[in-house]
Amino acid sequence: MHVNRWRKTLPLVAGAAALALAVAGCTPGGSASGTDRPLRMWSGSMTPITNNFNPFAVDTATHMTFGAIYEPLFFFNQLSADPPVGMLGDTYEFSDDGTVLTITIKPDLKWSDGEDLTAEDVAFSLGYGSNLDPDMVSAEATDDTTVVVTYSSAKFTATPLILGSTWIIPKHIWSDIDDYMTETNPEPVGSGPYMLKSFTDAAYTLEANPLFRDGPPEITEVQDIGIDSNQSSEDLLKTGKLDWVGQFIANPDGVTSNGRISTMNQQQDPTVIVTCADTSMGCAGAQTDPAVRQALNLAIDRAAISSKAFAGLSGEASPSFALLPRDEKWLSDPSLAVSPQEPDAATAEGILEGAGYTKGSDGFYGKDGTAIELDLFSPDGWTDYNDAAKLISAQAAEAGIRVNARTVSEAEYWTPISTGDFQLALYGITQSLVADPYSNYDQYFTTAASAKVGEEPTKGQNYARYTNPVVDAAVKQAGATQDEAIKKEAYAAVQAEIARDLPYIPVVLNASQSFFNTADFTGWPTEDDMYAAPLPYLSTASAVILTHLRPAKK
């Protein structure tokens, strides 16, 4: 998800005042200082918050569904090369050919309603709904703590997806739910450190789960608040009404100068122009021509965008979609390390002319009497994205490409991206969980991870509707081996194809800023102990952090 999930629906001053009242109203007996109150966070929810705790509704469920309530088997720290940490899981082992995965879970686990959590729940979860891998042959609980999963092909490289991104659900509840996608699950029963205490459309409160396997967390209540503007969040941080947010703030010193709030900036998730790329999937418009995407890629002045839209806090993105330097050993071609930082309008124009486009008297290119006219949208109030879109529009015009930048409400943003009814959108891609770009290639670039225009992808996040048999075969090859040489060869094929076709045009590595209250709460990640990325909207990582926190001693 994006760093800044907000929209401007109220004047900023009035919005901040109203939200301050909402915070006070939701925490009876609480105070703005001290720790005899919930930890108040903003994980990206806007008002009204939807009462949805369905772990299969990835775009609409509340953020704390993922990790705080429902858990995967293991936690993979995307900022570390260390082995994964067992959550429900204790150990796992593949057969020599990678087709049989044996998982043992910890003994004596409980669901938050008091029912036993056993291997039967894990086997059920792996075969339920969108969790089901089409290559899975069977998932069998051989005893209360052991699950044996058999696949038709090797799954070595898919380990983080299977073990770190599959939400384990209670069989005794979900076996009675027929339509898992429309279920809102307003009374969730999970295994995580927290349970739902109360819900309003302005905020919801979680309380410590007394049956959590490691004992209830020391932060006994957590309140996730809906906020509709970045300025409101910043104001609430400054006045002590918020303890933890992840958002873009151009001047972080204005928030941290009082010594109460600390900040970190991990540049890891690429901001891209996602294109509806493939006519065979139903996409329409000039952006379906790779030559147009290649020209737009060269027309962008990324250095100016980083400076003017992201206050110089962003990093340089790679067209390989590997996170560098973390994934450096998987980079096949050094020329793919970084996207061009300066514009090259002349080369962009040469690409268009070589593809049969001609420049009209208005200075813009077209073909067969039809001008290139591209629609680029971003959510109203995502200020970094809105500013970047305006810059991209102006920069593209210098190369004779007409791009019309506009803003939409967040509700209007997600629907066309999910269904494919768009041309260009600014979008944030989540980085892979481990030092291996496999999950990015599998989730964003394979045909199986996409769907025809008009349908929502259920097996991945290929919103570009990109199809490429070379990529599909290479990703499958990489997933079937532990041989680094074979994987490097497969990734080289993927990287060459996606860097040429550009279904996602890299813009920057987003400034992933987190702000957290170190005066009232201790145990946050530090530069010396980055046990999890300190961003409240990240699945699983946010819950791991909550279990590490303690009230500060006064």
Side-chain angles (χ1 to χ4, degrees):
M1 66 164 280
H2 184 270
V3 173
N4 315 332
R5 243 188 151 169
W6 59 69
R7 66 171 181 259
K8 293 179 182 175
T9 56
L10 297 170
L12 295 181
V13 175
L19 284 163
L21 290 173
V23 170
C26 290
T27 55
S31 62
S33 61
T35 49
D36 56 340
R37 57 165 177 81
L39 181 149
R40 303 185 187 107
M41 62 187 290
W42 178 38
S43 66
S45 298
M46 301 180 309
T47 54
I49 304 174
T50 302
N51 190 352
N52 187 336
F53 292 88
N54 178 355
F56 300 99
V58 293
D59 289 332
T60 55
T62 60
H63 297 131
M64 300 308 287
T65 301
F66 307 103
I69 295 176
Y70 293 99
E71 298 178 289
L73 292 162
F74 291 83
F75 169 58
F76 292 78
N77 182 358
Q78 66 190 100
L79 300 179
S80 169
D82 292 340
V85 176
M87 302 188 82
L88 298 174
D90 190 26
T91 66
Y92 66 91
E93 183 178 15
F94 274 104
S95 61
D96 290 343
D97 67 355
T99 63
V100 179
L101 173 62
T102 301
I103 305 165
T104 60
I105 64 171
K106 295 174 180 177
D108 304 321
L109 298 172
K110 294 286 186 181
W111 294 107
S112 58
D113 64 356
E115 294 288 325
D116 290 341
L117 192 167
T118 70
E120 191 68 37
D121 293 293
V122 176
F124 171 79
S125 300
L126 292 172
Y128 184 87
S130 57
N131 284 345
L132 177 61
D133 186 322
D135 293 335
M136 192 179 87
V137 176
S138 63
E140 180 184 0
T142 57
D143 58 41
D144 282 349
T145 59
T146 307
V147 180
V148 178
V149 193
T150 303
Y151 298 93
S152 60
S153 61
K155 291 291 176 178
F156 292 121
T157 312
T159 301
L161 298 175
I162 299 168
L163 301 178
S165 298
T166 301
W167 309 106
I168 305 304
I169 53 175
K171 180 179 179 179
H172 67 278
I173 292 176
W174 285 85
S175 59
D176 295 329
I177 296 174
D178 295 325
D179 190 345
Y180 69 92
M181 287 304 295
T182 61
E183 173 64 38
T184 58
N185 195 33
E187 298 178 357
V189 172
S191 61
Y194 289 92
M195 308 183 302
L196 180 63
K197 178 180 181 180
S198 60
F199 185 93
T200 74
D201 62 6
Y204 59 96
T205 300
L206 304 181
E207 60 183 348
N209 175 7
L211 300 179
F212 184 56
R213 61 185 172 275
D214 297 328
E218 292 192 44
I219 304 303
T220 58
E221 288 192 7
V222 177
Q223 189 175 73
D224 197 4
I225 298 165
I227 298 178
D228 290 325
S229 82
N230 54 330
Q231 187 61 55
S232 293
S233 172
E234 186 173 340
D235 290 345
L236 292 171
L237 267 176
K238 290 177 178 177
T239 56
K241 301 297 194 301
L242 271 178
D243 301 303
W244 189 16
V245 305
Q247 68 173 81
F248 177 75
I249 296 179
N251 179 23
D253 291 345
V255 176
T256 61
S257 59
N258 62 10
R260 178 178 174 272
I261 301 295
S262 298
T263 186
M264 287 186 179
N265 180 15
Q266 282 81 37
Q267 300 165 343
Q268 54 190 5
D269 295 331
T271 289
V272 301
I273 302 172
V274 58
T275 76
C276 194
D278 200 321
T279 55
S280 70
M281 300 292 277
C283 298
Q287 84 288 343
T288 60
D289 186 344
V292 172
R293 301 197 296 268
Q294 292 163 7
L296 182 57
N297 179 58
L298 290 173
I300 296 173
D301 186 344
R302 292 176 172 84
I305 292 170
S306 177
S307 174
K308 296 177 181 179
F310 295 92
L313 296 170
S314 60
E316 297 177 343
S318 168
S320 72
F321 286 91
L323 178 61
L324 304 176
R326 188 195 71 175
D327 302 341
E328 191 167 8
K329 75 175 181 179
W330 302 116
L331 184 67
S332 62
D333 182 348
S335 70
L336 301 182
V338 177
S339 293
Q341 296 302 298
E342 306 297 332
D344 187 348
T347 302
E349 291 183 356
I351 289 173
L352 292 175
E353 291 168 4
Y357 293 88
T358 57
K359 184 180 286 189
S361 58
D362 59 358
F364 290 96
Y365 281 95
K367 181 189 287 188
D368 300 328
T370 301
I372 297 174
E373 186 159 2
L374 300 173
D375 177 72
L376 171 64
F377 67 97
S378 59
D380 185 29
W382 292 14
T383 50
D384 48 351
Y385 275 27
N386 301 158
D387 291 343
K390 294 174 186 175
L391 290 167
I392 290 168
S393 176
Q395 293 162 3
E398 294 293 320
I401 306 169
R402 180 176 281 114
V403 175
N404 301 319
R406 64 186 175 96
T407 63
V408 298
S409 71
E410 186 164 352
E412 295 172 302
Y413 173 78
W414 289 108
T415 298
I417 287 177
S418 297
T419 61
D421 184 20
F422 72 100
Q423 291 182 318
L424 307 175
L426 279 175
Y427 185 74
I429 287 181
T430 303
Q431 192 51 254
S432 59
L433 291 174
V434 295
D436 184 329
Y438 173 83
S439 63
N440 273 15
Y441 299 153
D442 178 75
Q443 291 291 294
Y444 291 105
F445 293 97
T446 60
T447 304
S450 191
K452 293 278 189 179
V453 170
E455 302 173 7
E456 296 187 27
T458 59
K459 299 296 184 181
Q461 300 177 72
N462 183 357
Y463 297 122
R465 269 70 187 177
Y466 178 61
T467 64
N468 184 320
V470 174
V471 170
D472 290 344
V475 171
K476 186 173 183 179
Q477 181 186 30
T481 184
Q482 289 182 306
D483 187 313
E484 286 196 3
I486 296 175
K487 286 175 67 174
K488 286 179 179 178
E489 182 180 356
Y491 290 164
V494 172
Q495 291 164 12
E497 296 292 310
I498 65 177
R500 181 197 66 228
D501 293 344
L502 293 166
Y504 305 88
I505 301 173
V507 181
V508 297
L509 277 186
N510 207 18
S512 299
Q513 294 168 277
S514 55
F515 298 86
F516 40 90
N517 180 348
T518 48
D520 295 338
F521 303 96
T522 63
W524 300 98
T526 65
E527 296 292 345
D528 295 330
D529 184 14
M530 195 65 67
Y531 63 83
L535 296 162
Y537 53 75
L538 287 181
S539 301
T540 310
S542 56
V544 169
I545 288 172
L546 287 171
T547 61
H548 279 70
L549 296 183
R550 306 176 300 279
K553 294 180 179 179
K554 298 296 181 180

